[in-house]
Amino acid sequence: MALRGMRHTIENAVASDVTAMADIHERSFSRHWSAEEFSALLADHPVIQAIVVRPAGLKRARIKGFVLVRSAGGEAEILTLAVHPRERRRGHGRKLIEEAARRAYHDRAEALFLEVDESNRAAVLLYRGLGFETVGERSHYYATADGQPGNALVMKLRLR
């Protein structure tokens, strides 16, 4: 798959990716997850799938972004999605979500859910552009960079 002049591949995360995942997550969220937390989540495969984007043909190349998806009971949920700040606006997030939706559909999920900070305009627009609809709101769900509580939109993509 080509993304703006450079070929990238979407594949399952491997254990050696957890440090980069933790680094990208820390650069993306005020409440970030550790490498140990990512290791524990990777161990819960196939209930949780960790999908990464990296330069094609370079198995040891540092990842550009990732998504974690949990599937259970006919539904799937994006637990987290992050792209390295230097790699944003290059289509990586879109490709990761499309792959997460494809896998959820393959696992017979009827819908894919996620929560997003309502103030994250770029993410909300991306999700809406992919067909997600707002189905709820969680008040004071996120802590913002200035320490104030932020609301989360609960969004749903119908897969079937």
Side-chain angles (χ1 to χ4, degrees):
M1 123 188 5
L3 296 174
R4 295 214 183 154
M6 181 176 204
R7 291 189 46 80
H8 290 82
T9 187
I10 303 285
E11 60 191 23
N12 290 329
V14 294
S16 61
D17 291 325
V18 299
T19 301
M21 292 168 78
D23 176 60
I24 293 168
H25 204 267
E26 182 175 4
R27 293 170 186 262
S28 302
F29 299 100
S30 58
R31 184 353 198 148
H32 52 273
W33 300 350
S34 69
E36 292 76 23
E37 288 171 299
F38 281 107
S39 289
L41 290 164
L42 261 65
D44 202 10
H45 185 82
V47 173
I48 296 176
Q49 293 190 50
I51 307 163
V52 299
V53 59
R54 73 173 88 244
L58 302 172
K59 203 63 166 162
R60 302 272 186 230
R62 190 164 174 93
I63 65 171
K64 308 288 185 169
F66 65 91
V67 63
L68 293 179
V69 183
R70 176 176 42 210
S71 295
E75 294 181 347
E77 175 187 14
I78 292 178
L79 300 175
T80 192
L81 165 74
V83 174
H84 193 286
R86 287 189 312 256
E87 299 296 329
R88 292 182 184 151
R89 303 189 98 31
R90 297 182 182 184
H92 299 310
R94 174 178 290 277
K95 291 296 182 186
L96 287 165
I97 295 165
E98 289 171 346
E99 180 64 13
R102 187 190 69 74
R103 290 184 185 196
Y105 179 83
H106 178 74
D107 289 343
R108 302 194 190 316
E110 301 212 1
L112 176 61
F113 291 88
L114 60 83
E115 288 145 353
V116 60
D117 187 331
E118 69 181 358
S119 69
N120 187 342
R121 201 76 187 120
V124 171
L125 290 172
L126 171 63
Y127 301 141
R128 286 191 178 138
L130 288 166
F132 282 84
E133 300 175 73
T134 301
V135 295
E137 184 177 306
R138 298 188 197 284
S139 297
H140 308 296
Y141 188 76
Y142 291 108
T144 60
D146 62 4
Q148 297 300 309
N151 296 333
L153 299 177
V154 179
M155 301 185 84
K156 175 182 179 180
L157 176 67
R158 295 180 198 283
L159 299 174
R160 300 191 181 276

